[in-house]
Amino acid sequence: QVQLVESGGGLVQDGGSLRLSCAASGRAFSSYVMGWFRQAPGKEREFVAAITWSGGLTRYADSVKGRFTISRDNAKNTVYLQMNSLKPEDTAVYYCAADPSGSLIYTRSYQYDYWGQGTQVTVSS
């Protein structure tokens, strides 16, 4: 069983930055693919970024490519999402997710088994 707890959300102005953190419990964390998703009001949950267990492979949604960076620290059981040049359209609840298969990066939410409770990110114009 894996428990995920996100933090770091908040209110930021257009063009600002935030860093989200996701702390995971469970000894197998280092073998999981970790992802970030987001859900805006009235919209479906969408893929943002993901990273393999080694950190050697990352994948990003086109909408955040070049602005967001995902990273992980397996010694701390933590995955991060550095968000720069934020835009009002980035406003959403951001969720951390874990995929125990640990082999490939998937972008569909149903392919992730464990989820955090979410953290709100609001970008004002």
Side-chain angles (χ1 to χ4, degrees):
Q1 188 72 13
V2 175
Q3 291 186 326
L4 305 173
V5 179
E6 302 98 333
S7 62
L11 174 64
V12 65
Q13 289 188 332
D14 190 356
S17 298
L18 282 174
R19 188 176 81 155
L20 305 183
S21 299
C22 172
S25 64
R27 288 180 291 179
F29 168 81
S30 60
S31 66
Y32 293 173
V33 169
M34 298 299 297
W36 286 96
F37 288 75
R38 67 186 182 186
Q39 188 166 18
K43 294 187 177 181
E44 293 186 354
R45 191 169 297 189
E46 65 174 0
F47 172 79
V48 175
I51 187 168
T52 52
W53 68 271
S54 67
L57 182 62
T58 58
R59 187 170 178 178
Y60 297 91
D62 288 342
S63 59
V64 307
K65 205 170 292 184
R67 299 187 298 123
F68 290 11
T69 302
I70 189 171
S71 61
R72 67 190 294 164
D73 185 337
N74 289 337
K76 296 182 178 179
N77 277 14
T78 302
V79 63
Y80 305 97
L81 185 68
Q82 177 66 43
M83 306 185 295
N84 298 328
S85 301
L86 282 162
K87 306 174 182 179
E89 51 263 45
D90 294 318
T91 295
V93 176
Y94 283 70
Y95 297 91
C96 176
D99 168 19
S101 70
S103 55
L104 298 174
I105 288 182
Y106 298 110
T107 63
R108 304 294 180 91
S109 58
Y110 69 82
Q111 293 163 316
Y112 290 75
D113 290 355
Y114 303 104
W115 292 84
Q117 82 289 349
T119 185
Q120 177 70 47
V121 172
T122 302
V123 184
S124 63
S125 57

